[in-house]
Amino acid sequence: FLDIPRHQVTSGSIHGATLFAALGLYLGWRKGQALVGLLGGLASGLIAALSFYVLAPLGGYNMMLVSWLILWIMLAGLQTYLDGRLVIAKAIGRGLITALVAGIGFGVVLFELYRGWPPESFSFFKHFVAWAMAYLPGLYVLLKR
């Protein structure tokens, strides 16, 4: 039951693509561009996940931080595009700020869930709440006007 599989390129890429396709769909739906949002979110999640697998041999799990930054910059680019016009400098700036704020939530997850890995028991509810906390600060900044 507690045997959680190690990161694998296929499952990690599917996870990233699916999770952020759903988020992108929501972002696009809010602006009347659901398909654009879906595709942008899918690309953001897939590229961020793949970046981890490309970079991990160079720096291990520390490269997750680079992938986290890539993800938020891409999502900020999508949101900027959906707001009316993609401005690369604005997307990068917005993505950096969002990644920093979201990093606080990500730190909570790392501290709370992964300091004693593997756990003796695995609370799915605790994981859900922790990961929601990881993403909510970034989403708040990303969606704020």
Side-chain angles (χ1 to χ4, degrees):
F1 180 69
L2 292 177
D3 187 24
I4 298 169
R6 297 179 61 94
H7 280 275
Q8 296 175 6
V9 176
T10 304
S11 60
S13 298
I14 291 169
H15 176 262
T18 304
L19 178 65
F20 292 101
L23 176 60
L25 178 63
Y26 171 72
L27 295 175
W29 171 78
R30 292 175 65 242
K31 300 290 184 171
Q33 298 184 60
L35 182 59
V36 170
L38 174 85
L39 295 174
L42 187 140
S44 298
L46 183 61
I47 290 169
L50 290 173
S51 74
F52 172 73
Y53 296 109
V54 168
L55 296 171
L58 304 174
Y61 278 103
N62 293 328
M63 294 295 105
M64 186 67 74
L65 297 175
V66 175
S67 299
W68 182 257
L69 183 60
I70 290 168
L71 172 71
W72 287 107
I73 288 173
M74 292 191 67
L75 289 173
L78 173 61
Q79 183 63 41
T80 302
Y81 176 81
L82 291 168
D83 283 344
R85 190 172 135 225
L86 175 60
V87 178
I88 300 296
K90 183 178 178 182
I92 291 172
R94 193 174 188 181
L96 289 170
I97 291 167
T98 304
L100 289 173
V101 171
I104 295 166
F106 192 65
V108 168
V109 167
L110 293 177
F111 180 77
E112 186 61 33
L113 297 180
Y114 297 105
R115 65 184 158 166
W117 200 263
E120 291 183 29
S121 64
F122 189 87
S123 168
F124 290 101
F125 180 74
K126 183 177 178 180
H127 265 67
F128 177 80
V129 169
W131 279 110
M133 288 178 62
Y135 287 104
L136 285 177
L139 292 174
Y140 174 78
V141 171
L142 183 68
L143 296 172
K144 189 175 175 166
R145 296 217 148 95

